[in-house]
Amino acid sequence: MTLQTEFRLSPRRRGCHLITREIVSHLPSPMPRVGLLHVFVKHTSCALTINENADPDVLTDLDAILDHVVPDSEPYYCHTMEGPDDMSAHGKSTLAGVSLTIPVTDGRLNLGRWQGIYLCEFRDHATARTIVLTVIS
């Protein structure tokens, strides 16, 4: 059995945002006992990741790391039509990725104790983001 749904996240400021609850709220009910959840964001200037959801300093540090690795406004960027964060957002999206696969066990997402699902927003003036959830059992 395969179930799929699509929904929009409201625009968020630049940074990493915990979206686990929003993902879970859009999952079918009941969930299959065993399976996989595939989460996909339909955009090229943001990303999805799973990381620690206990200490908010982790998110601040992740933002700093990504900004260090792929800074805004580099003089060698050609694609800059949408502003100084345009190409850097695309680069960060490529590095972090736009999809996740999470096991479903006993009808629930089988995340680790300290894991959460995050939207990483790389634009200063982001739009709403569309998420596709596919449950495979």
Side-chain angles (χ1 to χ4, degrees):
M1 172 176 72
T2 302
L3 305 168
Q4 189 172 77
T5 189
E6 189 170 306
F7 70 97
R8 291 176 66 79
L9 294 170
S10 61
R12 294 195 165 53
R13 64 175 174 72
R14 189 172 180 157
C16 295
H17 306 278
L18 185 64
I19 61 168
T20 308
R21 286 186 182 153
E22 287 172 273
I23 298 292
V24 169
S25 75
H26 286 88
L27 292 175
S29 182
M31 283 282 282
R33 192 171 174 321
V34 175
L36 293 172
L37 170 65
H38 184 261
V39 185
F40 176 77
V41 61
K42 294 172 67 171
H43 302 274
T44 61
S45 57
C46 62
L48 297 169
T49 191
I50 294 175
N51 218 302
E52 180 177 326
N53 65 4
D55 183 353
D57 287 343
V58 170
L59 302 178
T60 301
D61 291 344
L62 284 174
D63 288 338
I65 290 165
L66 289 168
D67 287 342
H68 179 76
V69 172
V70 187
D72 291 348
S73 300
E74 286 297 321
Y76 51 84
Y77 294 159
C78 296
H79 180 71
T80 59
M81 291 175 52
E82 296 176 43
D85 64 345
D86 190 10
M87 190 59 226
S88 58
H90 295 307
K92 291 171 187 175
S93 177
T94 294
L95 292 176
V98 295
S99 68
L100 302 169
T101 302
I102 302 164
V104 173
T105 306
D106 294 327
R108 295 182 31 203
L109 299 184
N110 196 348
L111 292 167
R113 172 182 233 164
W114 306 113
Q115 290 182 317
I117 303 168
Y118 289 89
L119 172 74
C120 301
E121 182 54 68
F122 302 130
R123 298 303 306 266
D124 289 327
H125 304 287
T127 59
R129 301 302 193 175
T130 302
I131 302 287
V132 179
L133 303 177
T134 306
V135 179
I136 304 163
S137 63

